[in-house]
Amino acid sequence: MPPKDLCILLMPGEFHRFFASLRMTNRKKMKKKGNHDAHAELSAEPRLRGLEGGLSAVGKRFAIVVARFNAFITERLLQSAYDGLLRSGAKKNDVEIVRVPGAFEIPSAARTLASTGRYDAIICLGCLLRGDTAHYDVIVNEVTRGIGQSAQETGVPHAFGVLTCETLEQAIDRAGLKMGNKGFEAALAAVEMASLGDAIRSQPSAVGQKRIPPSGRNDKISSRTSPKKRR
């Protein structure tokens, strides 16, 4: 950034030329240091290898659990989540839509669907708005805990697409107006986690490949405790 005094002297149209000249100066300095040093400075943070899920839903089955309460919001989440799955390669017949009365019933339905073993991921959609009582806090905690517990105990990924907003305006913004659509984001998260599960399961097991050598002390103990043959 230029000094404050320089910022006052520069006209608005001159800022672009000023920063462009700084970039050219830095490039010349990098060339003088050599390609190896320049590459080292540009790539300051090394990339670490690791397993990642893809965004291909081809051949996978998904279930969407959506609450009817606040349907003005949840139906928008549902349409976007469904569109996200189809754009990722899922077929219409491989997407099951289940509607429940409200957000409180989402964990139970998601747990039942995951227990069938027919789905690679579950997408949970709902909308909770804060009211004048503590009802909002109780429901939010139970829904969050129930969805997380269902995912951990069944081993099936659950995507959390339940909006927890203070006002209706916040919910509208997160259902496709200003803040994107959380239903679409939940669908992509479900696709990636389902793909990641396949990548993890395809890795060879290190335990099965290595054989633990027998302990000499254990062999001596077993030989002493084994019954001797009678002559």
Side-chain angles (χ1 to χ4, degrees), residues 83-96:
D83 180 62
L85 293 178
L86 296 184
R87 289 176 180 271
S88 300
K91 296 182 179 179
K92 295 182 178 180
N93 296 333
D94 292 335
V95 180
E96 185 76 22

Side-chain angles (χ1 to χ4, degrees), residues 145-178:
R145 182 190 61 81
I147 293 176
Q149 185 176 357
S150 176
Q152 294 174 5
E153 294 182 356
T154 61
V156 179
H158 288 46
F160 191 86
V162 180
L163 300 182
T164 56
C165 303
E166 297 288 334
T167 62
L168 179 61
E169 288 75 14
Q170 292 179 356
I172 294 175
D173 290 342
R174 288 158 178 78
L177 188 60
K178 295 181 180 179

